[in-house]
Amino acid sequence: MPYLTLASEIRSVVAEYTKASILWIDTEIADYKSRNPRLSLIQVLDDPQDLSGDRIFVLDVLNYPDVVAEFIDKIMVNANIEKVFHNASFDVKFLANKKAKNITCTLEMAKKIPYYALPLPNYQLKTLAAELCHFKNIDKQEQGSDWGRRPLSEEQIEYAYLDCIYLAQVHQRLIELNQEIHSEPATENLTSLNARYAQLEQQWKLLDSEFANLQERIKKAMLAQNVTESSYFKLSCYERKTVKVPFTQLAKLVQTEDIDLDFPITLTQKLQKDLGENLEQLSVDIEQTTAWRLTPKNQESDENSDD
DNA sequence: CGCGCTCGTGAATTCACCTC
DNA sequence: GAGGTGAATTCACGAGCGCG
């Protein structure tokens, strides 16, 4: 895991990366608590199979803002290179932000996988690495360490490159899980899906109804007994306000003050009825959509076993 | 600590569908 | 057609989470 500190060698590595089609990237930030945090390290991996770390370059960019600019210009903004991060929005904030193209976030991928298929207490990278890829002895101690100091400790550099390995491995597993979960609709086996649904429905109804009942009782009990904290729950409240104005007043204001305010209003059935024939004077824009819905058939009559 | 999200909550609306 | 019902949708808001 080459640790590069010279601007010239970092530049040449960045130049090499422009040929890659996908890169796994992590960053370390110095002074994250302060008002102006700085980019300390950029760790890049270009081969997800690599577990040794040989293919990871740890780029020390703390004192090279112009090298960072080059990285942004050649890699981050380049739509031809897919960039994989965990919680991408955090790292990308320091790397081109909104201008970054072709970003993949493993945190978002993980969250999209339904809970039953990936039952985890949280979606931190270390949790995913441990549960999804069975990495042992994952250390996150260095995460909060001082990334602004130089030289960095052995442990810090070790930690920095390990994160990239976790990232690439987790990413691969998430892709696999995704394929299992979100299968091709055209080739799904409807019979087995229906069977599984029916099998779960009864259990689910029992659980769901008791669950809802418990929630309601606990809430009401805590309210009645003036308890804001119980062993499992916190009870909080908030003010909610909706600002309203008569439509005629708003319309008049916009007219008289010549305010630039125009947007489509949904004419609900009630409004259409209230307008009556006046509706014909308006140039309405009719949007047609199709809504599909699943309706369970009545299963209890087992007489209709027709095919 | 702080940013930038997403998510859960509960009320209000809307609408399809059913019955009378 | 009136009226009821349940599902879906919308909205304001705060809680909570991930990163270092």
Side-chain angles (χ1 to χ4, degrees):
Chain A
M1 39 120 200
Y3 169 54
L4 308 185
T5 53
L6 292 175
S8 57
E9 49 185 10
I10 298 177
R11 280 207 163 88
S12 63
V13 167
V14 171
E16 274 300 301
Y17 283 143
T18 57
K19 299 172 193 160
S21 60
I22 174 163
L23 294 172
W24 290 264
I25 310 175
D26 184 33
T27 62
E28 305 304 331
I29 305 299
D31 311 327
Y32 67 89
K33 277 186 195 173
S34 74
R35 207 151 299 128
N36 41 342
R38 294 175 294 155
L39 203 49
S40 170
L41 299 181
I42 305 176
Q43 305 96 279
V44 189
L45 171 61
D46 63 355
D47 175 10
Q49 307 307 330
D50 173 50
L51 290 172
S52 65
D54 294 347
R55 303 286 310 181
I56 297 171
F57 283 82
V58 179
L59 316 179
D60 194 327
V61 295
L62 186 66
N63 297 311
Y64 305 133
D66 47 334
V67 176
V68 173
E70 201 171 315
F71 185 86
I72 290 173
D73 194 47
K74 289 190 169 160
I75 311 289
M76 296 305 294
V77 180
N78 187 341
N80 295 319
I81 310 173
E82 180 180 1
K83 277 82 61 180
V84 184
F85 295 87
H86 189 68
N87 196 2
S89 62
F90 180 82
D91 302 272
V92 167
K93 222 170 31 189
F94 301 95
L95 293 169
N97 211 354
K98 300 267 192 281
K99 287 187 199 150
K101 295 270 155 55
N102 204 348
I103 303 294
T104 299
C105 177
T106 47
L107 174 64
E108 279 169 32
M109 284 176 76
K111 284 199 201 163
K112 275 190 194 131
I113 295 180
Y115 183 74
Y116 79 89
L118 186 60
L120 299 179
N122 60 63
Y123 295 116
Q124 291 166 18
L125 184 59
K126 61 172 179 188
T127 312
L128 292 168
E131 300 302 317
L132 218 45
C133 312
H134 310 108
F135 279 107
K136 310 271 189 265
N137 314 317
I138 299 175
D139 190 11
K140 274 260 170 182
Q141 290 292 326
E142 298 298 330
Q143 181 171 324
S145 72
D146 179 7
W147 292 100
R149 78 170 189 195
R150 288 297 179 276
L152 294 167
S153 69
E154 285 287 313
E155 292 76 21
Q156 282 178 306
I157 296 171
E158 176 85 353
Y159 166 83
Y161 93 86
L162 269 175
D163 255 11
C164 253
I165 295 191
Y166 297 152
L167 175 67
Q169 291 295 309
V170 164
H171 182 227
Q172 304 287 300
R173 284 287 293 125
L174 286 173
I175 290 173
E176 288 169 24
L177 265 181
N178 241 331
Q179 283 164 354
E180 290 168 30
I181 305 302
H182 304 108
S183 45
E184 179 52 46
T187 57
E188 288 267 42
N189 182 340
L190 274 172
T191 314
S192 63
L193 288 181
N194 278 331
R196 179 66 178 152
Y197 185 94
Q199 187 186 21
L200 283 183
E201 192 172 24
Q202 198 51 32
Q203 306 174 40
W204 172 75
K205 275 186 177 172
L206 282 170
L207 283 176
D208 189 64
S209 59
E210 186 178 355
F211 203 68
N213 175 261
L214 280 175
Q215 252 184 48
E216 193 186 322
R217 280 164 61 184
I218 292 170
K219 191 172 180 181
K220 283 183 177 165
M222 286 175 78
L223 259 170
Q225 297 170 28
N226 233 336
V227 182
T228 56
E229 209 156 332
S230 60
S231 57
Y232 203 83
F233 288 108
K234 262 194 318 196
L235 185 66
S236 57
C237 70
Y238 56 89
E239 299 295 315
R240 205 190 139 111
K241 61 179 171 215
T242 21
V243 182
K244 295 190 182 187
V245 67
F247 176 71
T248 46
Q249 233 186 75
L250 177 67
K252 199 179 287 173
L253 184 77
V254 170
Q255 286 252 302
T256 56
E257 300 295 319
D258 201 24
I259 301 170
D260 182 24
L261 182 72
D262 199 9
F263 53 89
I265 286 186
T266 307
L267 291 182
T268 60
Q269 296 194 336
K270 184 178 179 306
L271 273 174
Q272 291 176 41
K273 206 172 151 189
D274 290 348
L275 281 168
E277 289 180 1
N278 292 316
L279 187 61
E280 289 159 24
Q281 301 176 36
L282 300 171
S283 59
V284 291
D285 182 13
I286 298 174
E287 232 173 82
Q288 197 121 359
T289 53
T290 314
W292 293 92
R293 80 156 90 184
L294 265 187
T295 320
K297 293 196 289 187
N298 212 348
Q299 298 284 333
E300 50 205 312
S301 56
D302 46 358
E303 61 203 300
N304 55 344
S305 49
D306 56 293
D307 276 13

